Amino acid sequence: MPDTSTAQDLLRNPLAERLAAGRLALSLIVKQVDTVDIAVAAHSCGYDAINVDLEHSVISERAAAQICITALNLGITPLVRVPSHAAHYANRLLDAGALGIVAPHVNSAEEARAIVRACKFAPLGERSVAGNWPHLRFRAFPADEVRALLDRMTTVVVMLETPQAVERADEIAAVPGVDILHVGATDLCDAMGIPGRFTDPRLEAQFQRVAEACRRHGKVAGAGGLGTAPEVMQKMIRLGVRFVTAGNEWAFMLAAARQRATMLRQLPLE
């Protein structure tokens, strides 16, 4: 029988759905594994999104695309953290299967608008139009329907990683098309001169400012770098954070491998 599915039937963004419901959404960062297995593992472990980090890794765009397509078909949202604000990175990766872009080091509303322009079609943005969409299983649908659906489903995440960016959180949150203001705690602490001091009250004050800006403008506040500090993460969630990057796959593997080695070495020999 012919497939009568509509474009809307074929594409979902589980991350966006969970956030729209006001629930906590979790993303797994990928920095080392460049095969599709990692998308399957993230889904099996209960994550809502997978975030392929091309800023801090040497994973290729081709490998990122394959991971994204696998995630799409599993029902987990594929995000890609681009290495720069150059529009061609976002354009290519969205065409290849990503359903969201994470833009690092966004320090102003103008930079946020540039990211939106790269991720959204006209009239909101300037995203170039590809002829085939893995998001829709390469099926043909009316052009206006496809553009509207992809714009609605594509998540735009801007990272605030300096005190200057946090100072401008309100104007950044006001930018149409931005969905999540994601505070990178590790880089922010470095920029504040308190590297690794996640319990410092000055960091909490920075998160509070971002969370308040998000509430005023109907955006989502995010937190990264705090996966190993649950007591701090709890405070940020109470402030209003709803999008969390829980950590990266390599750190998880090392932690589990270390734990297993420690356990085995503690076993008695007799």
Side-chain angles (χ1 to χ4, degrees):
M1 295 179 61
D3 188 348
T4 58
S5 301
T6 66
Q8 180 68 59
D9 293 333
L10 295 177
L11 185 59
R12 288 181 53 238
N13 184 332
L15 171 66
E17 291 171 7
R18 192 170 181 88
L19 291 172
R23 302 169 70 186
L24 186 68
L26 303 179
S27 177
L28 172 70
I29 298 173
V30 178
K31 298 177 69 172
Q32 299 285 341
V33 178
D34 63 356
T35 59
V36 300
D37 313 71
I38 195 62
V40 180
H43 180 264
S44 295
C45 291
Y47 287 89
D48 305 292
I50 191 165
N51 179 3
V52 184
D53 184 355
L54 301 189
E55 182 191 14
H56 294 295
S57 79
V58 292
I59 294 175
S60 70
E61 290 185 354
R62 181 178 294 276
Q66 294 300 299
I67 293 169
C68 287
I69 292 172
T70 303
L72 280 174
N73 285 279
L74 286 169
I76 179 172
T77 300
L79 308 174
V80 175
R81 181 171 174 174
V82 290
S84 86
H85 294 184
H88 62 85
Y89 285 114
N91 203 135
R92 284 204 302 265
L93 290 157
L94 289 171
D95 287 350
L99 203 53
I101 292 297
V102 180
H105 311 294
V106 174
N107 291 306
S108 68
E110 182 51 45
E111 291 182 356
R113 280 190 285 269
I115 298 301
V116 171
R117 285 196 298 271
C119 295
K120 303 287 184 174
F121 297 106
L124 183 58
E126 301 172 354
R127 179 179 171 184
S128 183
V129 180
N132 296 295
W133 310 101
H135 313 71
L136 303 175
R137 302 177 192 172
F138 301 108
R139 289 181 53 191
F141 292 97
D144 55 349
E145 180 183 350
V146 170
R147 311 294 192 276
L149 177 62
L150 288 174
D151 268 357
R152 189 165 67 252
M153 291 293 181
T154 298
T155 298
V156 177
V157 184
V158 296
M159 295 194 67
L160 280 57
E161 303 178 83
T162 65
Q164 293 76 20
V166 173
E167 286 175 11
R168 297 168 179 158
D170 196 74
E171 64 182 67
I172 293 172
V175 174
V178 168
D179 298 297
I180 300 173
L181 274 65
H182 188 60
V183 179
T186 302
D187 279 336
L188 181 55
C189 281
D190 278 10
M192 294 171 65
I194 51 171
R197 290 161 55 182
F198 300 131
T199 59
D200 193 299
R202 287 173 288 180
L203 179 63
E204 183 176 348
Q206 298 284 290
F207 269 94
Q208 183 168 0
R209 185 165 184 164
V210 173
E212 289 172 353
C214 288
R215 277 193 292 272
R216 280 192 292 272
H217 296 282
K219 305 299 172 69
V220 174
L226 299 176
T228 58
E231 70 290 347
V232 179
M233 184 61 79
Q234 180 66 76
K235 289 182 180 179
M236 303 318 172
I237 291 171
R238 287 174 180 155
L239 288 175
V241 165
R242 290 297 178 268
F243 174 70
V244 173
T245 47
N248 70 75
E249 90 289 25
W250 193 247
F252 290 161
M253 189 204 74
L254 290 174
R258 189 176 298 113
Q259 182 182 44
R260 180 64 58 89
T262 300
M263 181 270 291
L264 291 173
R265 291 191 185 282
Q266 288 174 345
L267 296 177
L269 295 180
E270 296 181 358

